[in-house]
Every structure is written in C-alpha cells, then in structure tokens.
Amino acid sequence: MMLLYHLWLSPFCRKVRLALGEKQLPFKMQVEKVWERRDDFLALNPTGECPVLVDEDGNRICGSQVIAEYLDEMYGDRPLMGTGAVERAEVRRLIDWFDRKFNQEVGVNLVDEKIMKRFLGLGEPSSSAIRAGGRNLHIHLAYIDWLAERRSWLAGEEMTLADLTAAAHLSTVDYLGDVPWDDHPEAKNWYARIKSRPAFRPLLADHIPGAPPPRHYADLDF
C-alpha cells in the first residue's frame, strides 16, 4: 500500500489525498512534523517538505504536482489532467494559480497566521496579514464565480485536478470558517459539488486537536 507523508492543513498534501481518492487508490498516511527536520525524512526528500508519496515498489515521489501527474500517468483510466494539449494547458494554468497565487495571497495570510504560528509558537497572528488575506479571498472567489458561470467545471466540461487543487486550498481556509460563501453563490455551488464527492469525505473528517472546524465544514449542504 502507498504511504503519504503529510500535514493535516497543508493544501498541497490535501491535493494529493484528493487525487488518490479520485483514483480510488488505497494508501496510508503519516503525519510528518517537517519543522523537526528528521534525518530519515530528509533522506526521502532533501527539501524537508511535504507531501512525499512512497509507492508500492518503494519509489519516492516528492511535491504535490509531481505526485499528482505521476498518479495520472500510472493510473490513467480516469485522467485528472484533462485530455488534449489545450485543456491540459488550462488545467496547469489554474493549478499554478491556486498553488502559487492563492496560496501566497490567501493561505499564507490566513491559515499560516491563525494556525501554524500558534502550533509552532511563532508569536501572535498579524492582524494586517489576516485583513489582507480576507480581502484577497474575495477576489479569488469572484474569479471562481466567473469560471463556474461559464464552464461546467473550472477548466472545462470535466472535473480535473484544477478543481481538486482549488478545493484543497479553499478547504484549509474553510476549516477556519473564513470563507464568505454567501457572497459568492457560484463558487459555493461549485464547492458543494466537489465536497460531495467520495474522495473529499476524508478531508471533511479531519479534526486538528485544539482547533475544531466550524459546524458547516463537514455539512454537504452547507
């Protein structure tokens, strides 16, 4: 069985969990406290970052996008990267949008400030960063609104890794109860469809000790 080294509220680890779930691949998870810089883990991934996947043959694959594309190549009966060069380019564009732009403008300002600083003892959250994250979140949700109004899924007519990536990032912010869903109905409807998928349910069962999610977090109907 595959083994995934992960962190609970890492959107990158959550993206891989969703990809594994959509592929219906059994796997085990091991929480890796990357700040401890364990020698055994550094031997697996010299960057010291999660996620890392060790497959049934002992191959180690590092990095969320590398892992996701590896899974798509190895288990390609249900492609997550889309079909055709144009669609795959759009899927990759949106993945980069959320993994880079959304993470920097929203995730770092909200999840890192509110959760990671607390657990790592890095001081009080920055109120200015949290305000910036909240403002930026509206911009990103408006973009999802725009996409969802014009397409069946974010990248086109089929659900792809672009949807899973966006949902993974939003799920970490939603765990904090910080997503203004009622202000963005198209994004809310899209997210409801994603979190109703069987692959998403293990994420909805996550509970960080000392930081429980809001009631609506695991509610499929919000």
Side-chain angles (χ1 to χ4, degrees):
M1 185 179 293
M2 298 185 191
L3 174 62
L4 177 67
Y5 291 87
H6 80 117
L7 284 168
W8 291 113
L9 278 184
S10 162
F12 304 99
C13 298
R14 287 182 161 216
K15 176 170 76 170
V16 172
R17 290 170 64 187
L18 290 173
L20 287 163
E22 288 291 336
K23 295 286 185 179
Q24 298 183 355
L25 298 170
F27 66 100
K28 297 185 295 185
M29 297 191 299
Q30 179 171 319
V31 174
E32 182 61 36
K33 298 176 181 178
V34 294
W35 52 89
E36 293 183 352
R37 307 286 293 176
R38 288 192 310 115
D39 289 341
D40 288 348
F41 184 69
L42 291 172
L44 287 175
N45 185 8
T47 69
E49 298 173 345
C50 284
V52 174
L53 183 71
V54 180
D55 70 10
E56 303 98 324
D57 298 322
N59 298 309
R60 63 186 183 195
I61 306 97
C62 307
S64 67
Q65 189 58 26
V66 177
I67 295 170
E69 295 202 29
Y70 171 80
L71 294 173
D72 222 32
E73 292 179 13
M74 291 292 290
Y75 308 93
D77 52 330
R78 165 67 179 88
L80 295 176
M81 290 301 298
T83 56
V86 173
E87 184 179 4
R88 285 195 293 271
E90 178 65 354
V91 170
R92 288 190 173 99
R93 182 187 74 83
L94 289 171
I95 289 170
D96 180 69
W97 178 288
F98 288 97
D99 275 350
R100 183 179 54 83
K101 186 175 176 65
F102 184 98
N103 185 61
Q104 290 174 357
E105 296 178 356
V106 179
V108 169
N109 286 325
L110 295 178
V111 180
D112 286 11
E113 288 293 329
K114 290 188 174 185
I115 295 292
M116 295 307 294
K117 272 192 172 181
R118 171 182 168 187
F119 281 96
L120 296 180
L122 297 177
E124 293 297 317
S126 165
S127 58
S128 61
I130 291 172
R131 286 194 299 271
R135 290 193 300 269
N136 294 335
L137 179 55
H138 276 285
I139 296 171
H140 287 275
L141 288 170
Y143 185 46
I144 294 175
D145 282 337
W146 188 89
L147 291 170
E149 285 177 346
R150 290 159 175 78
R151 302 171 175 179
S152 298
W153 295 93
L154 295 188
E157 295 307 305
E158 301 293 333
M159 196 277 299
T160 67
L161 192 66
D163 297 279
L164 300 183
T165 302
H169 283 272
L170 276 166
S171 73
T172 64
V173 182
D174 197 38
Y175 189 94
L176 304 178
D178 284 349
V179 183
W181 292 117
D182 290 341
D183 294 339
H184 299 278
E186 295 296 333
K188 181 178 180 179
N189 290 337
W190 162 81
Y191 189 70
R193 286 193 290 151
I194 284 281
K195 78 173 187 176
S196 295
R197 298 178 72 87
F200 212 94
R201 289 172 189 168
L203 272 65
L204 299 179
D206 287 351
H207 283 77
I208 312 303
R215 289 185 178 180
H216 79 267
Y217 175 74
D219 184 355
L220 300 183
D221 297 321
F222 284 90

